[in-house]
Amino acid sequence: MPAPKKPRRTAERILEVTLDLFNRFGEPNVSTTLISAELKISPGNLYYHYPAKDELVNALFGRYEAELSELLAAADNVRNVEDAWLFFHMLFELIWKHRFLYRDLNDLLFKNRKLETHFQSLLAAKEQAMRHVLSGLHLGGGLKMELRDAAPTANAMVVVVSYWLSYEYVRDPRHALEPERAGAALLRGAFHALSLLLPYLEPTSREHLFKLAGHYQHP
C-alpha cells in the first residue's frame, strides 16, 4: 500500500488559493480576509506566512518571472512557423495562468515598486526573445525581413503579448477571463502576435500559419 501523500505546506496552499482568487476577481477586489476565509485558516496564520498583501503579489510575481525567463530562452530554438506557434501558445498559456498581473497591470505597477521595476526588465527580455524568433525564422528560410524592420516588429509583438488580455477583456468584460474561454483566447493571442509577420513570411509559411490558426483567425 503506497504511503499517503504529505499535506501541502500552508505557504504553498496560500499561494495557490491566492492566485485563483486574484485571477477570478482581480487583485484589487481580493482582501487578505477573503483569502484566509477561502483557506479556512485564521487571518493570523495567513499573516504569519505573508505579513502583507504585497508579499503575496510579489511571491506570485516571482514565480511568474522565473517561469517566463525559462520559457523565453526557448525562443532560440524557433526555426519555422510551427515552432513559433508552439512558442507563442506556451507564452500566452503562462500569461493566462498569471492573468491577474495583466488584468490589473496599471494598478499593480502604481502600487508596487518591485513590479514597476521588474516589469520593465520583463519587457526588455520579451523584446529580445521576439528578435530571436525573427532571427530563427529567417535562418529557417520561412521569413524574409530587412534588418531595419526587425526592431519595430519585435516591439509590436511585445505590445500584443503584453496587452492581449486587455483586448480580450474589452471584447467581453463579463466572460473573457473565465477558465472555459482560455482555449480559444490562447489561440487568438498566438495568431494576433504572429499575424504581424504575414507581410514577411514566405508563401508556404504564411499558408501554414493560417492553417494552424484555423477558424480563430480574424478576417
Side-chain angles (χ1 to χ4, degrees), residues 81 137 142-144 194 197-207 209:
V81 164
L137 288 171
L143 186 75
K144 300 299 180 186
L194 288 171
L197 305 184
L198 289 174
Y200 309 102
L201 288 174
E202 291 294 297
T204 302
S205 294
R206 186 184 301 116
E207 288 307 309
L209 174 58

Side-chain angles (χ1 to χ4, degrees), residues 87-159:
F87 172 77
F88 276 99
H89 194 277
M90 292 175 66
L91 179 56
F92 283 121
E93 198 171 54
L94 181 60
I95 291 173
W96 180 271
K97 178 181 173 183
H98 300 86
R99 57 193 177 277
F100 82 94
L101 290 168
Y102 290 86
R103 168 178 175 160
D104 306 304
L105 183 57
N106 291 349
D107 184 66
L108 286 168
L109 295 183
F110 178 76
K111 296 187 302 184
N112 190 306
R113 177 62 179 167
K114 177 180 179 179
L115 264 64
E116 179 186 347
T117 56
H118 281 237
F119 251 102
Q120 292 173 6
S121 298
L122 288 187
L123 284 179
K126 286 178 186 176
E127 186 163 355
Q128 184 180 32
M130 298 306 111
R131 288 173 180 258
H132 288 163
V133 168
L134 299 180
S135 177
L137 288 171
H138 179 76
L139 286 172
L143 186 75
K144 300 299 180 186
M145 175 181 284
E146 293 185 21
L147 185 61
R148 67 179 183 179
D149 293 331
T153 302
N155 186 256
M157 294 172 87
V158 172
V159 172

